[in-house]
Amino acid sequence: MSEKILLEMKNITKVFPGVKALDDVNLKVKEGSIHALVGENGAGKSTLMNVLSGIYPYGTYTGDIIYDGEECRFSKIRDSESKGIVIIHQELALVPYMTIGENMFLGNERGKAIAIDWTDTYVQADKYLKVVGLNESSHTLIKDIGVGKQQLVEIAKALSKNARLLILDEPTSSLNEEDSRALLDLLIRLKGEGLTSIIISHKLNEVSYVADDITVIRDGHTIETLVKGVDDISEDRIIRGMVGREMSDRFPKRHGVEIGDVAMEVKNWTVHHPVYTERKIVDDVSFYVRKGEVLGIAGLMGAGRTELSMSLFGRSYGSGISGQVFINGKEVKMHSCKSAIEHGLAYVTEDRKGNGLILSNAIRTNTTLANLKGVSNLGVIDADKEYAVAEEYREKLRTKCTGVEQFVGNLSGGNQQKVLLSKWMYAEPDVLILDEPTRGIDVGAKYEIYNIINALVAEGKSVIMISSELPEILGMSDRIYVMNEGRIVGEFKGSEATQEGIMAAIIKSSND
């Protein structure tokens, strides 16, 4: 790795209405290195990278960008790409019904202005797919490959633009452990070939594994840069820089919570694919959750956990659904989301931006969406009551915002998650299904979400938590089910479960 500084960002300050997102931030990135940016949600990491890539053009911020010894003033993203700076956002920018090849050169087409050279397009696409180790035809539709492979397509697309500096914003947030490690190993390999990378991630074990240097940003300020081989880059040390304090226990303890009677029981639940109706996605699943209990559901991506949850929540996924659901010992039929809510069931989706929140609406309206009757009279919404409810939950969940009239789309990921939880808490459910409740949020915000979960079960509510992070499942669950290939393949008491035991259950079931 070279000691040459490829990128220097000096005294970067960026102000949005009512908030200073970046305050005199400095960053130096060595050529041929992997440089991690870490910090809590809202710290300014993505904002800084948006400044670098030209998404926030020169003139909307103050400070200097020095790239390869030259001062740069980017007015649009194409300007930064022409210098070899390419950003891959957390939400992948791929068109599902176009091929890999079409996606890779979308906006950067091969051929002449009036005629695309499709032969060259697919030859070049296959070449870059080979570079990233993706064994797929460039004629394959994006919708037909998994998220892990889509992430590799984005990297291949960046390399096709002659990237020298690759920026990856939460590249593994939607990947399982195996795909995440493969992606990180690819970055290490590409580093050996001269590529410089900046990676934003909340997964600190991955940061420690892959990064040469780690810059910590807190509340819009540069706090420190840690260097591998010189400084302590353990997870605890990084956390101290991020939150400004020690966190001796990342999973808050529950005290005095009594686990009561069975709140919900599911028997022989089977769900078929909504399009390929002969294919079972959930296969004869039976389980139960008690009052005051956090029930964890572990499994690899594609195990059927989300499909199980959505099908239970008013049959919002699947076809040919069969089985029984009992709430407080009484069988119930929930054929719509409205019916599920009326029976005391809530589903907090893993896709908060796509399915959970209306990003162009205020915190106030998002908070009351699942329980409009609570803030209306004869079908007319009482705006004052709605404001009061939103303000109550803002205070209760300590949501950081300029006020409840702020658009949800302008909040950090952790604060969006709090608004999503507020929405379902106001619906006053008895059973909450939380699907990846801490995905893409920082360690400090995670701790606050865990406290909210503990408070809910202390009130006698039941929480079913789906998570791909095994330490989270182990740290929060009273009892754990393991899913694989649409079936439940193991059950553990929380106090007796281990990562090795959970993975052994998955592997054994795959071999049966």
Side-chain angles (χ1 to χ4, degrees), residues 378-433:
L378 298 176
V380 179
I381 292 175
D382 183 334
D384 290 338
K385 187 171 184 181
E386 186 175 57
Y387 185 95
V389 167
E391 186 65 25
E392 175 190 346
Y393 280 93
R394 182 194 67 79
E395 292 180 4
K396 184 184 292 186
L397 273 64
R398 297 195 293 177
T399 307
K400 290 182 182 177
C401 57
T402 57
V404 296
E405 297 295 345
Q406 185 175 359
F407 284 176
V408 170
N410 294 332
L411 299 177
S412 68
N415 288 302
Q416 287 180 355
Q417 192 69 15
K418 289 181 181 181
V419 175
L420 183 57
L421 282 168
S422 298
K423 164 184 159 181
W424 287 111
M425 287 169 66
Y426 182 56
E428 298 183 339
D430 298 314
V431 179
L432 287 92
I433 304 174

Side-chain angles (χ1 to χ4, degrees), residues 66 88 118 133 262 303 305 307 319 325 332 366 373 382 399 437 459 486:
I66 311 297
I88 299 175
W118 290 111
V262 172
R305 297 166 301 164
E307 293 82 357
S319 64
V325 180
V332 298
N366 273 278
K373 66 181 181 181
D382 183 334
T399 307
E459 295 171 6

Side-chain angles (χ1 to χ4, degrees), residues 276-333:
Y276 306 106
T277 54
E278 73 285 352
R279 183 173 148 213
K280 285 184 184 178
I281 303 299
V282 178
D283 188 1
D284 198 34
V285 164
S286 298
F287 72 93
Y288 66 91
V289 60
R290 296 181 179 275
K291 296 175 182 177
E293 181 180 42
V294 177
L295 176 69
I297 302 184
L300 302 177
M301 189 177 295
R305 297 166 301 164
T306 292
E307 293 82 357
L308 169 64
S309 302
M310 291 180 66
S311 62
L312 288 169
F313 186 65
R315 306 195 173 209
S316 50
Y317 173 89
S319 64
I321 298 173
S322 62
Q324 296 174 289
V325 180
F326 299 84
I327 293 181
N328 295 324
K330 181 180 178 182
E331 185 174 1
V332 298
K333 306 288 186 182

